[in-house]
Amino acid sequence: MGSVSLKIGDGTARFKRASVCSSAVNLLMLFSVITTNLFALYAFTYHPTSLHHHHYPKNISLISEKVSLILREIESSQKKLAQMEKDLLGYESIDLSKPNIAKELKEFLTRHQLPLGKDSRTGITEMVASVGHSCEKSTDLLSQFMSYKVNGLCPDDWSLGQKLILQGCEPLPRRRCFAKTIPKVGLQPFPISLWNNVSEKSLSWSGIGCKNLTCLNSKKLNRDCAGCFDITHGYETQRYVKPRSKNDFHIDDVLAMSSGGVRTSFDLGGGSGTFAARMAERNLTVVTATLNVDAPFNEFIAARGLFPLYISLDSRFPFYDNVFDLVHVANGLDVGSRPEKLEFLMFDIDRVVRAGGLFWLDNYYCSSEDKRKALTRLIERFGYKKLKWVVGEKVNGAGNSEVYLSAVLQKPVRS
């Protein structure tokens, strides 16, 4: 698979993938440049022996016409080659010459030379800022996101940025404005903060339907968060320590399965941060990946004294290989009906788990038998050791039975 990088030079942001096709295009361009230069050299140096002095103006005019024709042919060839390269690479471009492109977006995507010239270690001579290649599909929204007063307050548009992220426009461009600040009143010291409700005044409610915690707790925001913002009286106080079914694993039982112990963990789609809180009670470090879909998840998790990571599951995890002792995921693994997308996610999870580390699949909803079998076949391809594997049924609010899969898997050592 080719790599994707951002190339900006002629006023466009172009996403380039190295391939056999792109190599052929480069060779074709090189051949075109050499050929046209040879024609130009011939036109300038050719002097017929039969010319007399009074023929010079006519000959000079003829040469000038030929040179102009050659230059037009060169320009036409370059345009055709650029279009061929674009078609072969399969990526669109952000055309920064359009009138509706925000000035700040142009400034961010412009190449900037290193102040001290070429870096001796990396060979880099200029810095290139990047945005997700899917941003091209949302140019109008991206320009709206980048329309603000430089050195002023940022617009209260976090929901616009999240909408771009959910459409694949990730990473977002950086901005030169000051984010809205909200006084964090009523914060409790750690570890008391783990199980004390956060002051509603310290949370941002813009762009969210609910405007208080009572409203949030009355809704089932997703399969992993039904009343999950009640951390003093609700079910969150029992999660991972008082199992309600055979699919609910006790956290200490899972930690005891690890060879070499658990120190660092990664929680995908961690709701209001209860898994991270249970780990923190045991002096273990957890990073919780979540977005603010319908609720201020990131602020709430941070107010509990935990570490939220504002990132979608479509993005490559910003961690080095083999760094986590445990990865915990529930229905964040559900990426719809695209098996390729699930494969990419599973391979990235596998990448960040150390050899001998654990992958805890917690109450994954199997909407059909085919879906469960497909996930089972995918997991088996990784060669994980099944330390615990439970398929069980639960009755939902409508009185219907649903099938869930819970498992604790150990990553093998691969040569």
Side-chain angles (χ1 to χ4, degrees):
M1 180 174 16
S3 63
V4 178
S5 61
L6 189 69
K7 178 183 178 183
I8 308 168
D10 58 351
T12 62
R14 186 171 295 115
F15 304 88
K16 186 175 181 181
R17 178 177 58 203
S19 64
V20 176
C21 293
S22 60
S23 299
V25 170
N26 290 333
L27 289 175
L28 184 58
M29 291 180 69
L30 179 61
F31 175 76
S32 175
V33 171
I34 293 174
T35 304
T36 50
N37 280 314
L38 287 175
F39 275 117
L41 180 63
Y42 173 77
F44 277 113
T45 58
Y46 176 66
H47 297 289
T49 56
S50 60
L51 290 178
H52 297 289
H53 292 288
H54 62 275
H55 289 158
Y56 283 176
K58 182 178 180 181
N59 291 329
I60 291 175
S61 176
L62 181 61
I63 291 174
S64 177
E65 290 178 5
K66 290 183 177 179
V67 171
S68 297
L69 178 61
I70 290 171
L71 292 176
R72 286 196 297 271
E73 288 293 333
I74 292 174
E75 184 180 3
S76 177
S77 297
Q78 287 176 337
K79 290 181 179 179
K80 291 179 180 178
L81 289 170
Q83 184 61 43
M84 288 172 60
E85 182 182 20
K86 178 179 175 180
D87 295 340
L88 289 170
L89 293 176
Y91 291 121
E92 294 294 331
S93 302
I94 297 179
D95 187 357
L96 300 181
S97 65
K98 291 182 178 180
N100 62 335
I101 299 296
K103 181 181 177 181
E104 277 292 279
L105 181 58
K106 295 179 182 179
E107 182 67 26
F108 178 76
L109 293 178
T110 299
R111 288 177 180 267
H112 297 281
Q113 297 292 327
L114 294 180
L116 301 179
K118 183 178 180 180
D119 184 82
S120 59
R121 290 181 300 174
T122 62
I124 296 174
T125 59
E126 54 190 5
M127 297 302 295
V128 180
S130 64
V131 294
H133 79 267
S134 292
C135 291
E136 187 275 335
K137 300 176 182 177
S138 308
T139 306
D140 291 340
L141 288 179
L142 186 63
S143 286
Q144 183 181 340
F145 180 74
M146 293 299 288
S147 297
Y148 55 87
K149 182 180 179 181
V150 178
N151 296 324
L153 292 177
C154 296
D156 188 10
D157 60 354
W158 72 266
S159 56
L160 173 61
Q162 181 167 278
K163 184 177 182 179
L164 284 165
I165 290 174
L166 292 172
Q167 291 180 359
C169 183
E170 188 179 25
L172 290 172
R174 288 174 171 168
R175 302 201 291 186
R176 296 186 293 177
C177 57
F178 296 100
K180 178 183 178 181
T181 56
I182 299 176
K184 300 297 181 180
V185 297
L187 294 180
Q188 299 290 329
F190 188 87
I192 298 175
S193 59
L194 292 176
W195 301 105
N196 273 269
N197 272 332
V198 178
S199 171
E200 295 175 348
K201 294 181 179 179
S202 66
L203 304 175
S204 174
W205 299 98
S206 65
I208 296 174
C210 286
K211 303 301 178 184
N212 54 62
L213 294 175
T214 302
C215 175
L216 289 180
N217 286 321
S218 67
K219 294 185 176 182
K220 184 175 183 179
L221 299 173
N222 54 60
R223 289 189 175 276
D224 300 321
C225 183
C228 70
F229 283 88
D230 183 0
I231 57 175
T232 56
H233 301 98
Y235 171 61
E236 294 297 296
T237 61
Q238 302 178 27
R239 290 189 73 178
Y240 308 111
V241 293
K242 292 183 179 180
R244 293 192 299 184
S245 70
K246 62 179 182 180
N247 284 79
D248 299 327
F249 300 162
H250 196 292
I251 192 169
D252 290 330
D253 294 341
V254 174
L255 295 178
M257 299 179 191
S258 173
S259 60
V262 173
R263 295 147 300 205
T264 58
S265 301
F266 186 30
D267 186 19
L268 279 69
S272 60
T274 296
F275 173 77
R278 292 297 182 198
M279 297 289 276
E281 289 177 325
R282 291 154 176 78
N283 295 320
L284 304 175
T285 302
V286 179
V287 178
T288 302
T290 184
L291 292 174
N292 284 355
V293 179
D294 298 327
F297 288 105
N298 280 266
E299 290 178 288
F300 193 87
I301 291 171
R304 297 181 74 176
L306 305 168
F307 184 3
L309 181 65
Y310 190 64
I311 188 175
S312 77
L313 298 186
D314 292 330
S315 176
R316 176 183 169 94
F317 301 136
F319 305 112
Y320 194 65
D321 303 351
N322 307 297
V323 293
F324 288 109
D325 301 312
L326 184 152
V327 171
H328 172 263
V329 58
N331 286 290
L333 202 64
D334 190 351
V335 293
S337 58
R338 291 184 56 189
E340 298 84 1
K341 193 172 182 179
L342 177 59
E343 283 190 37
F344 276 110
L345 176 57
M346 278 295 300
F347 271 97
D348 211 25
I349 291 173
D350 178 81
R351 178 182 65 83
V352 299
V353 182
R354 68 168 173 84
L358 302 181
F359 172 45
W360 181 355
L361 183 59
D362 185 8
N363 281 279
Y364 175 76
Y365 172 57
C366 302
S367 57
S368 67
E369 181 65 15
D370 290 341
K371 188 174 182 179
R372 185 187 68 80
K373 289 182 178 179
L375 178 61
T376 301
R377 288 193 295 268
L378 177 59
I379 291 175
E380 290 175 345
R381 284 170 52 189
F382 287 84
Y384 285 4
K385 182 179 180 180
K386 295 180 180 179
L387 302 180
K388 198 166 186 178
W389 184 279
V390 176
V391 177
E393 295 185 356
K394 293 182 180 180
V395 178
N396 60 22
N400 299 321
S401 179
E402 296 178 334
V403 177
Y404 288 83
L405 168 63
S406 293
V408 179
L409 310 167
Q410 187 173 44
K411 180 178 175 178
V413 177
R414 304 188 185 103
S415 57

